[in-house]
Amino acid sequence: AVALITVQQPPVVTAPLGHDVLLPCELQDSQDEEIQTSPVLYWVDEEKHKLLNSDGKYAGRIERTNQTSSNKSIVLKNVQWSDGGTYECKLSIRTNLRGSFRLKGNNTMLIIYDTMNFNLTNHNDTLLRCEVNMSKDFDFALSVIKDGCVLQSSDSAAGRVTDQGIVTLSQTVSLRGEGKYECQLQLRDDLITTSTFYSKPTAAGEDRENATAACSPVISSEFLLTFIHLLIFLSTEMFIQTLCTEMWRHVIQVKLLNVFCKVD
């Protein structure tokens, strides 16, 4: 099969509100196809607005990185809630195999989030609440961790949508004694942002019912996958060892039979 030149983009990019963000785009070369002219770069959003234009909503906010023959990434400055959405990298290109054509990436979803709020609730100082606003909920997980354990949330819902279309993710947990609590926002195994709360020692004689409550240990999907592979490997090794033992026992029995029983 002939390997063709392609444009690669990551499926998701996250950025804090008001910060700059890199929108990656990579032109992957091929030994079978040769670029004959310098590619012309385009970036468009989901409403087909061109990011590299000198006017419009992106005016003065786009910066080209140190672009090479393969790196076609750009930087979007001072991201706002309205910047959340999908972005596509396109190249007008000419090759020896396909002539002149438009080469497209596979779109990147840009998700904006603001500063995480992590503190005691207003109505109950035994409850700790973590909250973060996002432009879109896309398989994100919000969790509160203490001493290596994920604390059980008392929220009835993990997220809600505000009037501006912004998604709010939240977790509310009961305090489990003094110490460090950490709220983590993750996209699969990638840590996006964190916030820390320190609970001071309680007054003498004060007892919290949930201080020694059980919690779930933090286990990554990578660890689980490795553990499963190990179990499969060990099971296979035990099976092979048992099989070899039985086969060897059978061989010995046959040899003894031939020695003591002269079979014609």
Side-chain angles (χ1 to χ4, degrees):
V2 177
L4 300 178
I5 295 172
T6 59
V7 172
Q8 297 297 321
Q9 294 180 245
V12 180
V13 169
T14 61
L17 183 67
H19 288 239
D20 300 346
V21 62
L22 177 71
L23 297 177
C25 177
E26 182 179 358
L27 178 63
Q28 294 194 338
D29 295 333
S30 165
Q31 295 181 348
D32 298 327
E33 189 172 25
E34 179 183 349
I35 298 176
Q36 296 181 326
T37 59
S38 179
V40 179
L41 176 64
Y42 303 88
W43 273 91
V44 296
D45 62 16
E46 58 192 16
E47 297 178 351
K48 304 305 178 184
H49 295 140
K50 295 181 179 180
L51 278 67
L52 299 180
N53 282 0
S54 58
D55 55 359
K57 64 180 290 189
Y58 302 107
R61 294 201 296 136
I62 301 297
E63 178 181 310
R64 295 179 184 240
T65 60
N66 297 324
Q67 294 185 353
T68 63
S69 59
S70 60
N71 179 23
K72 304 301 178 182
S73 307
I74 60 172
V75 174
L76 175 59
K77 298 181 177 180
N78 187 26
V79 294
Q80 305 300 312
W81 288 122
S82 59
D83 293 327
T86 57
Y87 293 84
E88 186 177 43
C89 176
K90 299 181 179 182
L91 292 169
S92 289
I93 192 171
R94 181 180 179 84
T95 69
N96 60 325
L97 295 182
R98 291 181 281 178
S100 298
F101 63 100
R102 182 72 59 85
L103 193 60
K104 300 179 181 180
N106 43 3
N107 289 346
T108 292
M109 171 69 70
L110 174 60
I111 300 178
I112 316 299
Y113 61 91
D114 67 1
T115 303
M116 182 179 286
N117 183 21
F118 189 34
N119 213 330
L120 298 174
T121 61
N122 294 329
H123 62 281
N124 191 337
D125 64 358
T126 67
L127 294 178
L128 188 58
R129 182 174 179 83
C130 180
E131 190 173 271
V132 61
N133 294 324
M134 311 191 67
S135 59
K136 186 179 180 64
D137 186 4
F138 187 86
D139 293 335
F140 285 92
L142 192 66
S143 57
V144 178
I145 299 172
K146 183 179 187 294
D147 298 330
C149 292
V150 178
L151 304 184
Q152 183 66 34
S153 174
S154 60
D155 283 349
S156 59
R160 65 177 186 271
V161 180
T162 66
D163 294 337
Q164 294 78 23
I166 299 170
V167 177
T168 301
L169 300 182
S170 65
Q171 291 281 318
T172 301
V173 301
S174 299
L175 284 179
R176 276 131 168 101
E178 63 182 86
K180 176 183 175 182
Y181 294 77
E182 185 178 34
C183 185
Q184 296 184 351
L185 176 66
Q186 290 183 294
L187 177 60
R188 302 181 182 92
D189 287 336
D190 295 329
L191 181 62
I192 305 302
T193 186
T194 66
S195 183
T196 303
F197 176 86
Y198 290 93
S199 177
K200 298 179 181 179
T202 59
E206 183 180 354
D207 182 30
R208 299 192 188 277
E209 296 180 358
N210 296 320
T212 58
C215 60
S216 303
V218 180
I219 301 176
S220 67
S221 59
E222 182 179 357
F223 174 83
L224 287 175
L225 186 60
T226 303
F227 182 71
I228 292 172
H229 286 167
L230 179 59
L231 288 179
I232 295 174
F233 174 76
L234 292 176
S235 300
T236 304
E237 287 291 307
M238 292 177 62
F239 173 76
I240 293 176
Q241 184 177 4
T242 303
L243 180 61
C244 291
T245 301
E246 292 299 323
M247 291 177 65
W248 181 246
R249 183 180 304 167
H250 178 71
V251 169
I252 293 176
Q253 290 175 349
V254 171
K255 288 184 177 180
L256 289 175
L257 182 65
N258 290 334
V259 171
F260 295 102
C261 302
K262 297 180 179 180
V263 180
D264 295 334

